[in-house]
Amino acid sequence: MLKKTLLIFLFPLVVVSAQHYSPNASHRDERIANYQQLSSQQLLDTANYYFNKNLFETALVCYNLLINTHTKSSDLEHQKRIVEALHKSAGIHYFMCDYRTAYELYIKALLLCEKIEYKPYETRIYNNIGNIYYRFNKFDIAKYYYTKALSLCQDSTVLLIILNNLGSVELENNEIDSAFHFLNKALRICNQYPDAYSHDILRNIATCYQKRKLYDSAYHYYHLSLEELKRIKIPGKESEAENLSDLGKLFFEINKPDSALHYIGLSNIIAEENNFSRILADNYLTLSKKEETKGNIKKAFEYYKVYANLKNSIFSNDIFGDINQLQRMYEVAKTNQEIEQLVIEKQIKERTIHLHRIIVFVILCILLLVTGGLLYIYFQKRNLNKAYKILVEKNMKIIELQEKESEKNTKSALPDNIQDELLDKILTVMEDTSMICDTEFSLDKMAELIQSNHAYVSQVINTALKKNFRSFLNSYRIQEAQRLLASDVAQKYTIETIALNVGFKSQTAFREAFKEQTGVNPYFYLKSMREKFDT
């Protein structure tokens, strides 16, 4: 699921409202005439004012007037204002689901950016072009544009948006580890900036846990995302609707249909009030699939018809075909710019040709000297090679001796019956929690208890259990910690006390081992157990 944080920092978040500014014709013409008297900076400021007030029709009028003003190639600041106008106009069309027009405006902005080398806006445009391809499920192309935006990005607030979008793409490709990498990196940047918005990142992290079937963690992060939406002061209705929709899918997945329908219903209410057709389509598809699994074919078909009508109104093949055509036009225009640049470079080269000839002559002289030096080195190296051959032969003999020694070591491996006997003794010791939860318990202590040596104990654990001793011991200690956290007496203890009771000297080591084995941190686990006992 693509996140709308792409425009939270790129430009102010907009919500498609039914109350657009629509004056009568004469009044509109009078206003346009007044706007035409403004300077380019005044036009941009006026457009941005209406943009922030969600009066998009008036904002588009001002942006279009600015885009169509005559500009000199030397007026760099004016061209930068045109880039901003194209970019924000595209953003309005994007949120109105007019992806064809949005893409066309993004391409125009990108061409102008490349011409004037306006790198900061190139980053934003590449990111938003990736968002359009994401909407059409072209995840490989979307990832290409996000990666390109990432390579140009120098703004931390924009960086976390791009990282979040890359996490979304990797989620769609079922690359969960890669998705976690990008999302955790984005979340760390969010934590450095109190005013940054992390709700979409948290929702993506929840989806990662859901895909791994860690439903408690997924539910926890979905609610963190909703709490973050309550904290921020900008409208976040679309993110809220998406979050509620995801919660509905989560409850469907864990077979709690009543809760699922409750959240889907809340999502639909927000989506219908704000004309979020994409979310409505997604919800009706979910409802259709669930009715189909229950055997309610008629109801499933009714939901699917609603889904199909909504989807066709947003993502038609004609629109995507037009986008591909615009992409080809962009490539042609970019090629023309490159040709013009090559002509300029050719003229420069012609002016320096005489200098190049002098340089070539100097280089030839240097090459003659270098060649003489190389010949000298060559004959010296030939003499050294003879000495190296003798050294290689000696090394081969050493390798043969090492191989024979390795064969001896292999033959000295423990027989299966002794290995099984040692394993039984090891597992017997591990059942004694008072022993293994001693902070001083170690591999040497284990070897002493079963009357063996630490090398054999380590070999048995590595061979039979495919673990090292530390991981093997931690797994038993964490099981004991889970038992303590789930018991009635858990409310009397702190996490620090439990960590010490199960043999961990370091709280940090305990938290890391607990999260690695259970998927959640011990604080969240203890909180969940306490809530369970309270109910």
Side-chain angles (χ1 to χ4, degrees), residues 466-483:
K466 309 301 182 186
K467 294 181 179 179
N468 60 38
F469 176 75
R470 181 55 53 192
S471 298
F472 177 56
L473 177 60
N474 281 351
S475 67
Y476 274 82
R477 287 176 169 177
I478 295 303
Q479 286 177 11
E480 177 63 13
Q482 287 180 275
R483 188 188 68 76

Side-chain angles (χ1 to χ4, degrees), residues 223-341:
H223 271 274
L224 284 181
S225 177
L226 285 172
E227 289 173 5
E228 176 67 7
L229 279 170
K230 293 177 183 177
R231 181 185 72 83
I232 61 180
K233 297 180 181 180
I234 63 170
K237 289 296 181 182
E238 187 167 1
S239 288
E240 183 180 357
E242 283 186 325
N243 209 325
L244 293 168
S245 176
D246 291 340
L247 277 167
K249 293 173 188 174
L250 172 66
F251 280 106
F252 270 131
E253 192 170 333
I254 61 178
N255 200 25
K256 291 187 177 180
D258 292 340
S259 297
L261 290 172
H262 169 72
Y263 283 109
I264 292 288
L266 291 176
S267 175
N268 278 342
I269 290 171
I270 297 173
E272 288 171 355
E273 288 177 351
N274 295 275
N275 195 26
F276 299 147
S277 302
R278 178 181 56 81
I279 298 174
L280 280 172
D282 191 38
N283 286 343
Y284 278 108
L285 179 61
T286 301
L287 292 170
S288 175
K289 289 178 179 178
K290 295 308 168 185
E291 292 297 333
E292 184 179 356
T293 58
K294 293 190 295 185
N296 299 333
I297 305 301
K298 182 178 179 181
K299 193 69 175 176
F301 183 67
E302 290 176 0
Y303 283 138
Y304 191 83
K305 283 198 299 184
V306 178
Y307 155 74
N309 289 334
L310 288 167
K311 184 180 179 183
N312 289 336
S313 68
I314 304 172
F315 305 108
S316 72
N317 290 331
D318 291 340
I319 293 175
F320 189 68
D322 290 345
I323 287 174
N324 281 337
Q325 179 64 25
L326 288 167
Q327 172 68 14
R328 287 190 287 273
M329 290 172 62
Y330 158 68
E331 290 170 356
V332 170
K334 189 173 181 180
T335 302
N336 289 337
Q337 287 184 356
E338 290 172 354
I339 291 172
E340 291 176 2
Q341 184 64 28

Side-chain angles (χ1 to χ4, degrees), residues 126 129-148 165-166 168-175 320:
Y126 280 128
I129 290 175
N131 292 335
I132 292 177
Y133 279 108
Y134 188 105
R135 290 294 190 210
F136 285 89
N137 296 331
K138 303 296 179 182
F139 302 121
D140 289 340
I141 303 176
K143 184 177 179 180
Y144 165 78
Y145 279 105
Y146 291 148
T147 305
K148 198 162 187 176
N165 288 340
L166 280 166
S168 298
V169 167
E170 295 298 63
L171 268 175
E172 296 293 346
N173 291 331
N174 284 320
E175 298 289 343
F320 189 68

Side-chain angles (χ1 to χ4, degrees), residues 425-483:
K425 291 181 179 180
I426 290 169
L427 293 176
T428 300
V429 172
M430 295 305 290
E431 293 300 324
D432 186 352
T433 56
S434 63
M435 182 70 68
I436 66 171
C437 290
D438 185 348
T439 55
E440 301 302 324
F441 187 73
S442 65
L443 181 60
D444 289 331
K445 182 67 175 178
M446 171 68 81
E448 180 185 338
L449 289 172
I450 65 173
Q451 297 181 348
S452 181
N453 64 63
H454 76 276
Y456 285 165
V457 173
S458 178
Q459 181 181 337
V460 169
I461 294 173
N462 290 338
T463 303
L465 303 176
K466 309 301 182 186
K467 294 181 179 179
N468 60 38
F469 176 75
R470 181 55 53 192
S471 298
F472 177 56
L473 177 60
N474 281 351
S475 67
Y476 274 82
R477 287 176 169 177
I478 295 303
Q479 286 177 11
E480 177 63 13
Q482 287 180 275
R483 188 188 68 76

Side-chain angles (χ1 to χ4, degrees), residues 92 247 308 361 385 395 487:
I92 293 174
L247 277 167
F361 176 76
N385 283 339
N395 284 332
S487 65

Side-chain angles (χ1 to χ4, degrees), residues 353-368:
I353 190 92
H354 181 66
L355 178 61
H356 288 171
R357 287 175 179 171
I358 296 173
I359 292 172
V360 168
F361 176 76
V362 173
I363 290 173
L364 286 174
C365 294
I366 294 172
L367 283 174
L368 288 173

